[in-house]
Amino acid sequence: IADEEQLLSIFVKKLFTNLQYSIVTDKLIERTVGCFSDLTHGYQSVRKLVKLDPIQYFINNHTQDLFPFLHPTSTMNHSHNSNLSLSSWSRLRTTFYSSVGRMLMYEFHYDDDDDERIEAFMTPFTNHCTRLVQIFKEFPDFSLLNPGQFSAMTQFNPKLASLDEIQSLIIGISRDLRGLCSSLVSKQAYTSFFDWLYPSYLPLFLKALYVFYDRKDVYNPLLKFFYELTSNRQERLIFDSTKPSAYLLFRETSNLLYIFQTKTLLHVNTTIPESDGDLFYKSKLKPIITSLKILQTCLM
């Protein structure tokens, strides 16, 4: 081994090998993602990492084909011998993309090439969201509905995928984007991300909440994603005065909270007993806390 860079490259290759071929070993995946996250904390560490060829290849090829644990169904099919819950397993995706986002931030040069760089990086997410757009194609846009039309909406019967498959897609993309968004702490990076997200894909999450209002495994990560999206980390939510982005984000967030109040809370209040402490917390108290945090960020 000639120098520190070569040693670090070997170490990173080993981490990626674990993520590529150890899908059945949940504990190894958990420790590998944790180690990768630790490596990406600190400017000097990230500066060294992004120079490595394996990292550059990874930034441009972070697909579920390369890393099977990112596949939407992997959350449902993880090892039964693991001590990890389904929630903990899918939460690894948030940690993973938070680490990736820190490296992507270092790649920002604050020039015209940044938009192209973000667009290329977001390609796997674009593919997933485009599929969801097709699935929800017949579902109306909530911004066009009045309260009467909203309450009269019929049950969603998808033709292109099962509800369980759609649920896995929504959980995965919510956790992935939440992790990525948490690392985009500059105004330019966040704006590029928001321009990608809205108007093409953000309404999907409102539709998903309406359909899966009674599934805590869906609405909890979805609400947490919106909390991250509305968090003003390092004053990143300073939009160009010529763009209505702040208003649009507030409108979509308000619609989300309205659906949560009129659908999810109504369902939970009538079906989940307080005597079932753990279920009551995860189904009602936890999302209410997240919703209040969203309100706080919107009003600050």
Side-chain angles (χ1 to χ4, degrees):
I1 300 177
D3 52 28
E4 179 188 46
E5 183 175 322
Q6 187 177 0
L7 176 62
L8 187 58
S9 180
I10 294 173
F11 191 70
V12 168
K13 287 180 180 178
K14 173 56 179 172
L15 294 180
F16 288 169
T17 300
N18 290 349
L19 296 177
Q20 285 180 270
Y21 302 111
S22 299
I23 185 63
V24 296
T25 312
D26 297 351
K27 201 63 180 178
L28 180 59
I29 294 292
E30 181 186 26
R31 291 176 177 176
T32 300
V33 171
C35 183
F36 182 51
S37 176
D38 291 341
L39 280 175
T40 59
H41 279 91
Y43 176 81
Q44 292 298 328
S45 178
V46 172
R47 183 177 64 85
K48 294 176 182 178
L49 283 172
V50 295
K51 295 179 181 179
L52 303 178
D53 290 337
I55 291 292
Q56 287 299 320
Y57 177 79
F58 161 71
I59 289 177
N60 295 303
N61 297 276
H62 56 101
T63 65
Q64 63 190 35
D65 295 329
L66 188 62
F67 300 107
F69 88 101
L70 294 175
H71 195 282
T73 58
S74 67
T75 301
M76 307 303 295
N77 298 329
H78 76 298
S79 172
H80 295 293
N81 297 323
S82 173
N83 293 324
L84 292 176
S85 65
L86 287 175
S87 178
S88 297
W89 173 258
S90 62
R91 197 178 296 122
L92 294 178
R93 302 172 64 132
T94 303
T95 304
F96 180 73
Y97 272 107
S98 179
S99 306
V100 176
R102 286 190 283 272
M103 293 190 295
L104 186 66
M105 274 295 301
Y106 184 85
E107 292 280 274
F108 255 77
H109 301 149
Y110 303 100
D111 55 26
D112 294 338
D113 293 335
D114 285 338
D115 289 339
E116 295 181 5
R117 194 175 294 110
I118 281 285
E119 184 178 354
F121 176 83
M122 298 300 290
T123 298
F125 301 123
T126 300
N127 294 336
H128 287 310
C129 288
T130 300
R131 186 182 178 202
L132 287 170
V133 168
Q134 294 300 318
I135 291 173
F136 285 102
K137 188 175 182 180
E138 304 301 324
F139 213 70
D141 188 345
F142 288 104
S143 62
L144 304 177
L145 300 179
N146 59 44
Q149 292 172 317
F150 174 83
S151 60
M153 288 177 62
T154 58
Q155 186 176 1
F156 178 56
N157 295 307
K159 299 178 181 179
L160 300 179
S162 67
L163 284 176
D164 287 340
E165 185 179 359
I166 299 172
Q167 172 178 321
S168 296
L169 285 170
I170 293 295
I171 293 173
I173 199 71
S174 296
R175 291 199 180 278
D176 294 349
L177 294 181
R178 176 192 166 200
L180 179 62
C181 185
S182 69
S183 298
L184 303 180
V185 294
S186 72
K187 172 187 173 182
Q188 292 86 345
Y190 180 89
T191 300
S192 295
F193 175 75
F194 186 79
D195 288 343
W196 170 85
L197 186 64
Y198 188 88
S200 300
Y201 308 123
L202 193 58
L204 288 173
F205 297 95
L206 276 64
K207 297 177 181 181
L209 179 60
Y210 186 92
V211 172
F212 297 106
Y213 68 91
D214 57 344
R215 302 192 186 188
K216 65 182 185 304
D217 289 335
V218 177
Y219 60 71
N220 273 319
L222 202 155
L223 286 169
K224 286 185 177 181
F225 167 55
F226 264 79
Y227 171 56
E228 184 58 52
L229 191 64
T230 55
S231 295
N232 192 19
R233 295 178 183 271
Q234 298 187 25
E235 304 297 323
R236 65 183 182 181
L237 291 180
I238 303 177
F239 294 105
D240 193 322
S241 60
T242 61
K243 294 183 178 181
S245 300
Y247 165 77
L248 295 171
L249 176 59
F250 182 80
R251 185 187 69 177
E252 296 301 315
T253 304
S254 299
N255 286 335
L256 180 91
L257 294 178
Y258 178 76
I259 297 170
F260 173 72
Q261 175 198 354
T262 56
K263 295 285 291 183
T264 301
L265 284 185
L266 182 62
H267 168 76
V268 171
N269 288 337
T270 56
T271 59
I272 307 297
E274 292 188 25
S275 57
D276 192 340
D278 186 59
L279 181 61
F280 184 75
Y281 169 75
K282 293 180 179 179
S283 300
K284 183 176 181 179
L285 298 183
K286 185 176 181 179
I288 286 178
I289 292 172
T290 306
S291 298
L292 291 175
K293 289 180 178 179
I294 294 174
L295 279 175
Q296 182 184 31
T297 59
C298 289
L299 297 175
M300 288 179 64

